[in-house]
Amino acid sequence: MIEVKKLTCIVCPVGCKIEVMLDNNRIIEIKGNMCLRGAEYAKSEVLNPVRPFFAVIKVKNGELPVVSVKSNKPIPKECIRKMIKELSRVKLKAPIKAGEVVVKRLECLDVDLIATRTIEERSSHLSSKP
Amino acid sequence: MRKVYADTVVIGGGAAGLAAAIKLKDLSVNKVILVDDRERLGGILPQCIHTGFGVHYSKRDLTGPEFAEELSSFVLDRGVDVFLNSYALELRYVDYYEKSVIVASRKGLIDVRTRTVIVATGARERTVYEIGIFGDRPAGVYTAGMVQALMDLYGVMPGKEVVIVGSGDVGLIVARRLAMQGATVKAVIEVKPWPGGLIRNIVQCLEDFGIPLLLSHAVRRIVGHERVERVIVTKVDDKLSPIPNTEFEIKCDTVVIAAGLKPEVQLLERAGALIDPVTGGPVVNEYLETSLPGVFVAGNALVINDLVDTVAEQGETAAEGAVLFMNDKLIAKYYLRVICGSNVRFIVPQVLMGLKEEITLYGRVIMPMRRAVIRIPELMLSMQQAMITPAEIFKVNISERKISKVVKLHKLTINVLESR
């Protein structure tokens, strides 16, 4: 079966409109790109579109009620919303250090979630000087 | 009032102020005081949980909170005196060698006497009342920054069905964040015929989540009794005025205003610094010194930037300028105006004084242009670029040697033209 996927190249500000013709998920033609980098982008975007993942997770007893996290590698595009749903059930406990792995091997995906900021315990929060 | 003495006071603990303070310490400035009104350092970085920060500065693609923690730790390691929960009320130019910053802190008012000041106060968001939206004033109208803070600092979802006004990068990123968390983003509405943000963000924030982008459209009215119920939208013509009989409504419970930022320059304005009406920031020379000698500016207080790396770079430039000033080496050789030519909205710095060997001009175009040429006729200089859009600041690097030969022309004109 032949299908055509249309996408906008994001490699540079020109933003070429690229058409990728697929025959049973095999690329047979890429057109509309002005440079080779565009073709590379189109190939990966059609065969395996991934995105960096970031979100917040609830925290118990923290100076703030949530902590921001990111995945240690990009995840498939279509998994983003599912991951968020999954995370709404997770609750972490303060203190959390930036860089700490807070969720291991999420879902069936082989990714870890890492805290991107430090959240101190609520009681240990010091007011500042001077 | 308690008096404190410093070599440099940095006002603002966001990306620009932190980068400036780090650079000052690396250049062996003895007493650096950094003043910030929040409880923690980082400015707005902690609420920008997406990636794309520090690609040039840290050589890594970090999220906002990570970049903030990295910069803050550098600042604390280097022994910068950090005043948190402290608000700079007033900046006073006493004389060439002395400035006074009045700071309101939890321990009362402090008069900080300093030789140099770096203003890194960032920007404030334009509100619903500044962009010609009329109608009711119900709950459910937020600025984009408020939405980021609510969701990503305090874990509060601001609404379920959202209309976003403005397609700059901030609007697009907030649209994605809302969609990720399960809100329905009904539309992003842009008054101009082209999107305000980067193509990358149009694709990854809107197309990925099937969010419609309405170009050449404007929200005219917000309707709602207690909570937003709907917005009235109209098409606009190429002069951005509404086209009659094109009104329609979009049902929603939340309106997010992402209509751009304005440099926060109250302190500078009151101190008497010259303000550029186009950038909204002060007029500066190549070391980002304002019209008040020894008072510098960096980051969004200078000009609205797209990338945090440019902000950090400006912080460093201002710090270098402050150090030269304290060594009595910041003395103008000439005075050359930088003029905005064809398709150029603004250029920063606005004035060149022969202070710096390698000069970076930051500019923004009015209209997007393919196969563009940046042309400076005075220098007989032409630079090709595949595309220049208003979404991205363009940079021009020039060496001072070239400029010093055309000083008699008193000006440099920056044009962005279409190449044939």
Side-chain angles (χ1 to χ4, degrees):
Chain A
M1 198 191 75
I2 289 184
E3 62 171 331
V4 178
K5 283 198 174 165
K6 291 180 181 176
L7 43 104
T8 312
C9 181
I10 64 165
V11 176
C12 82
V14 173
C16 296
K17 301 280 177 209
I18 304 179
E19 284 187 10
V20 183
M21 207 184 283
L22 291 155
D23 181 7
N24 279 325
N25 281 331
R26 269 195 28 240
I27 295 175
I28 46 177
E29 198 187 355
I30 299 177
K31 55 183 183 184
N33 55 306
M34 271 164 45
C35 73
L36 278 174
R37 290 191 302 163
E40 280 302 310
Y41 168 77
K43 214 185 276 174
S44 70
E45 188 62 14
V46 167
L47 297 178
N48 181 32
V50 293
R51 296 287 182 266
F53 178 78
F54 46 84
V56 293
I57 302 181
K58 284 184 226 116
V59 180
K60 229 164 101 179
N61 205 31
E63 53 181 333
L64 287 168
V66 290
V67 61
S68 51
V69 298
K70 68 171 185 183
S71 61
N72 61 343
K73 60 187 177 202
I75 68 163
K77 192 171 109 176
E78 69 273 7
C79 294
I80 292 177
R81 273 189 172 144
K82 215 170 76 190
M83 293 241 319
I84 296 269
K85 219 168 211 171
E86 204 65 28
L87 287 180
S88 67
R89 284 196 281 273
V90 177
K91 194 149 192 178
L92 304 168
K93 234 172 135 183
I96 296 163
K97 271 238 158 308
E100 210 178 291
V101 175
V102 287
V103 179
K104 268 213 142 151
R105 300 281 311 262
L106 189 87
E107 278 266 294
C108 46
L109 299 166
D110 184 26
V111 294
D112 296 339
L113 294 184
I114 301 163
T116 56
R117 71 174 293 172
T118 301
I119 298 282
E120 307 283 358
E121 264 179 281
R122 196 184 301 158
S123 51
S124 72
H125 174 62
L126 299 171
S127 72
S128 43
K129 58 169 184 172
Chain B
M1 205 183 313
R2 188 153 70 98
K3 257 192 191 173
V4 173
Y5 294 87
D7 295 310
T8 308
V9 173
V10 180
I11 306 174
L18 293 171
I22 293 164
K23 190 75 185 180
L24 287 164
K25 276 293 173 189
D26 288 347
L27 294 171
S28 319
V29 176
N30 191 18
K31 175 94 176 158
V32 179
I33 294 179
L34 188 144
V35 180
D36 193 87
D37 56 352
R38 300 197 185 201
E39 262 177 72
R40 297 175 195 81
L41 290 173
I44 56 151
L45 286 169
Q47 69 188 47
C48 302
I49 63 163
H50 51 280
T51 53
F53 294 84
V55 179
H56 300 284
Y57 187 91
S58 298
K59 310 276 178 280
R60 287 180 297 155
D61 191 3
L62 301 172
T63 62
E66 289 173 303
F67 193 53
E69 287 213 13
E70 181 171 301
L71 290 178
S72 314
S73 72
F74 289 168
V75 160
L76 298 174
D77 289 349
R78 282 166 176 73
V80 174
D81 219 339
V82 178
F83 291 15
L84 290 172
N85 297 307
S86 301
Y87 190 80
L89 287 173
E90 191 189 341
L91 165 64
R92 218 151 41 83
Y93 180 83
V94 181
D95 62 35
Y96 191 83
Y97 290 109
E98 187 169 318
K99 285 97 208 165
S100 152
V101 182
I102 309 293
V103 177
S105 78
R106 288 192 176 168
K107 290 187 178 162
L109 289 179
I110 309 169
D111 181 358
V112 188
R113 294 293 168 130
T114 177
R115 294 156 75 193
T116 51
V117 176
I118 297 177
V119 177
T121 42
R124 69 167 183 80
E125 297 181 274
R126 295 216 293 157
T127 68
V128 66
Y129 306 114
E130 292 173 75
I131 56 172
I133 297 180
F134 307 100
D136 302 332
R137 297 169 74 167
V141 183
Y142 302 92
T143 64
M146 286 164 73
V147 171
Q148 281 187 329
L150 278 174
M151 293 179 73
D152 297 335
L153 297 180
Y154 304 107
V156 176
M157 197 62 188
K160 291 189 180 116
E161 299 193 313
V162 188
V163 167
I164 293 176
V165 183
S167 68
D169 289 315
V170 182
L172 301 176
I173 282 162
V174 165
R176 168 174 64 187
R177 228 1 234 136
L178 284 160
M180 277 170 82
Q181 289 292 342
T184 309
V185 181
K186 291 271 186 101
V188 172
I189 295 174
E190 171 60 53
V191 71
K192 298 216 180 81
W194 52 77
L198 302 173
I199 290 170
R200 165 181 290 272
N201 286 332
I202 299 288
V203 172
Q204 297 195 344
C205 301
L206 300 190
E207 289 175 16
D208 274 9
F209 294 91
I211 299 169
L213 171 62
L214 303 181
L215 298 172
S216 294
H217 279 74
V219 171
R220 297 291 291 158
R221 263 184 312 131
I222 294 172
V223 183
H225 182 55
E226 276 176 6
R227 178 81 192 189
V228 174
E229 287 160 20
R230 57 188 189 272
V231 291
I232 311 295
V233 181
T234 164
K235 281 188 187 172
V236 300
D237 60 21
D238 48 7
K239 290 188 184 75
L240 309 186
S241 27
I243 302 171
N245 306 320
T246 57
E247 282 191 0
F248 59 97
E249 62 170 52
I250 302 176
K251 283 201 162 53
C252 58
D253 58 28
T254 304
V255 179
V256 179
I257 309 296
L261 306 169
K262 266 185 157 177
E264 185 62 85
V265 290
Q266 271 191 29
L267 283 174
L268 285 167
E269 227 172 358
R270 287 196 203 135
L274 198 61
I275 305 293
D276 180 336
V278 182
T279 59
V283 172
V284 293
N285 63 25
E286 52 267 56
Y287 272 110
L288 311 184
E289 186 186 26
T290 65
S291 59
L292 304 172
V295 178
F296 299 80
V297 62
N300 280 358
L302 165 65
V303 63
I304 303 307
N305 290 276
D306 321 310
L307 296 178
V308 80
D309 293 285
T310 325
V311 167
E313 184 181 285
Q314 289 162 2
E316 294 185 329
T317 305
E320 286 165 12
V323 170
L324 287 173
F325 182 90
M326 289 186 277
N327 294 329
D328 279 325
K329 281 183 184 151
L330 204 66
I331 292 157
K333 292 198 193 113
Y334 48 79
Y335 187 94
L336 201 87
R337 285 284 306 277
V338 183
I339 307 287
C340 302
S342 168
N343 195 23
V344 175
R345 188 181 302 286
F346 66 74
I347 299 282
V348 167
Q350 295 87 344
V351 178
L352 301 178
M353 298 182 174
L355 303 169
K356 199 166 185 268
E357 268 173 44
E358 293 299 324
I359 298 162
T360 307
L361 299 178
Y362 305 93
R364 207 182 279 285
V365 291
I366 298 166
M367 279 187 313
M369 206 168 254
R370 258 168 203 262
R371 281 187 286 279
V373 186
I374 303 168
R375 186 163 293 157
I376 309 176
E378 290 86 353
L379 297 173
M380 289 187 282
L381 200 77
S382 287
M383 278 161 284
Q384 298 268 352
Q385 257 180 50
M387 179 96 180
I388 301 183
T389 75
E392 261 179 294
I393 278 187
F394 65 90
K395 285 191 198 177
V396 186
N397 294 310
I398 317 173
S399 80
E400 200 273 327
R401 271 186 309 136
K402 281 186 189 160
I403 296 173
S404 62
K405 289 175 190 148
V406 299
V407 170
K408 282 188 187 126
L409 298 172
H410 301 297
K411 64 177 173 70
L412 282 188
T413 316
I414 318 296
N415 299 288
V416 176
L417 307 162
E418 220 151 354
S419 74
R420 272 162 295 145

